[in-house]
Amino acid sequence: MSFELLVALGVLFGVGFGYCVQRAGLCFAHGLGEIYMGHGTRIIRMFIVIFVITSAGFLLSGLISPSLGLKPIGQLRGFGFFNLLSGILFGAGIALNGGCILGTLRQIGEGNLAFLIVFVAFIPGLALVVYVFDPALGPSYSTQKVTLPAMLHVAAPWVTAALVSGALVWYFAVCRRK
Amino acid sequence: MELRARLKSPLFMVGYFALLNVAMYLTISKFWIGGSSFLPMIGKLGDGNKFLFAFLVNMGVIGGAFLGAYSNREFRLRMPRVNMLPKLIIGGMLIGMGVTIAPGTCTTAFVTGMPMLSVSSFLSAAGIFIGAFAVYSFTLGRR
């Protein structure tokens, strides 16, 4: 598949994502705020729906084509320390401006220009890490690509089944409590 | 609730969103990522333009959100208040740093990484909870 065709299809999927996210009003930053204030039912249900459908889909994709299936996303850096650190910085950032990546893109699409400023402000943050921190830390980085099944030495379907079952129990518990 | 209204409810929309995510992986063997996709903004396109591809997918997200908002008469140009600017800029910079120190945004971690059972995404998600709660407890505590 040519890169142009790949991009065209990718952008079409992006438009679909954007439409659904806008109609759902999905934003993890708002969701975390709701959880913090004790009104997290909506975002927890949304997250569980995404997790269950996507987990099952990704696992079953391996049956359709061996080149698909579960793959580690990103890297474990510095034995997980940098992942945790990046998460903390990211979490602080989204809580400060009230929009995660999804929320930022959605709000720009809805005409909220405040999030265009957030979007442009990514640039100095990205540049600082890529051009200053990375060259300094690069040699000391230990990077691994690890999935939960490989780490636990358990077959992937069992891990997915356990997590999806747990998520479904959580979903029904949240619905009953509502 | 009437069936048609139910099919358009936020929970169903989130379900379609998840199905699209799987469909994208099945049809073009790519998944949606958030963090590294913004590296083209500083000139890093990635091997085989992989970051550029992800960036363009995210531009599609803006287009889709516009479509959703416009078709439902929710599109409205809103200017930020000047006193919000420092918060927006610092927040944006922290996001920019967070997504590059190790790949892992809410999209990558919650939407793609955790369903892929990627250990790095579970750690990123834990970090996001800690960071967000630290800021929320500080800001809400002051009110």
Side-chain angles (χ1 to χ4, degrees):
Chain A
M1 191 184 291
S2 70
F3 183 70
E4 288 77 11
L5 181 60
L6 193 68
V7 166
L9 290 172
V11 170
L12 276 180
F13 275 109
V15 170
F17 290 141
Y19 186 84
C20 295
V21 164
Q22 199 278 331
R23 297 315 304 147
L26 181 63
C27 174
F28 288 105
H30 282 175
L32 288 172
E34 287 169 15
I35 292 173
Y36 188 72
M37 289 186 285
H39 311 295
T41 311
R42 185 190 75 98
I43 191 70
I44 289 170
R45 288 168 71 201
M46 283 183 170
F47 171 68
I48 293 173
V49 167
I50 293 174
F51 182 77
V52 169
I53 294 175
T54 320
S55 296
F58 285 165
L59 181 71
L60 295 174
S61 69
L63 300 176
I64 295 166
S65 167
S67 66
L68 298 173
L70 300 183
K71 290 175 185 166
I73 305 292
Q75 297 165 327
L76 202 58
R77 291 187 180 174
F79 304 101
F81 170 76
F82 290 110
N83 299 83
L84 205 58
L85 178 67
S86 82
I88 291 172
L89 289 176
F90 181 82
I94 65 172
L96 254 184
N97 61 37
C100 63
I101 295 284
L102 267 177
T104 298
L105 299 174
R106 171 172 72 83
Q107 297 262 17
I108 294 172
E110 289 176 347
N112 191 344
L113 297 179
F115 285 88
L116 199 58
I117 293 169
V118 173
F119 187 70
V120 174
F122 289 175
I123 295 174
L126 292 166
L128 191 68
V129 173
V130 169
Y131 296 117
V132 180
F133 291 167
D134 270 354
L137 288 169
S140 64
Y141 262 175
S142 146
T143 57
Q144 297 156 287
K145 291 194 163 196
V146 194
T147 59
L148 215 49
M151 197 176 84
L152 301 172
H153 304 290
V154 179
W158 290 110
V159 180
T160 299
L163 289 176
V164 165
S165 307
L168 287 173
V169 169
W170 191 15
Y171 183 90
F172 289 114
V174 166
C175 287
R176 275 188 69 180
R177 211 170 46 197
K178 194 178 150 190
Chain B
M1 198 192 296
E2 190 194 336
L3 182 67
R4 269 184 72 179
R6 186 177 276 250
L7 290 174
K8 290 179 185 174
S9 69
L11 209 56
F12 268 83
M13 282 295 163
V14 163
Y16 305 144
F17 166 82
L19 286 172
L20 266 180
N21 198 18
V22 175
M24 181 170 166
Y25 188 49
L26 287 175
T27 50
I28 58 176
S29 307
K30 300 270 181 194
F31 29 77
W32 186 21
I33 54 167
S36 315
S37 69
F38 298 106
L39 286 173
M41 290 164 77
I42 55 164
K44 297 267 180 193
L45 302 182
D47 298 333
N49 286 332
K50 66 177 179 185
F51 298 147
L52 178 64
F53 167 78
F55 180 75
L56 293 170
V57 172
N58 280 329
M59 293 304 99
V61 173
I62 296 177
F66 169 75
L67 213 69
Y70 191 78
S71 60
N72 290 280
R73 297 179 184 182
E74 290 170 8
F75 181 82
R76 195 161 51 90
L77 273 181
R78 280 161 287 171
M79 299 297 286
R81 288 198 307 272
V82 177
N83 64 356
M84 282 172 62
L85 291 180
K87 211 172 71 166
L88 297 173
I89 293 170
I90 294 169
M93 278 182 68
L94 284 173
I95 293 178
M97 289 173 70
V99 297
T100 33
I101 287 178
T105 62
C106 47
T107 315
T108 316
F110 294 126
V111 177
T112 309
M114 285 169 70
M116 281 284 189
L117 306 180
S118 196
V119 175
S120 63
S121 295
F122 283 93
L123 284 170
S124 293
I128 291 169
F129 272 99
I130 296 168
F133 283 162
V135 171
Y136 279 128
S137 55
F138 181 71
T139 52
L140 293 176
R142 286 176 62 184
R143 279 182 200 170

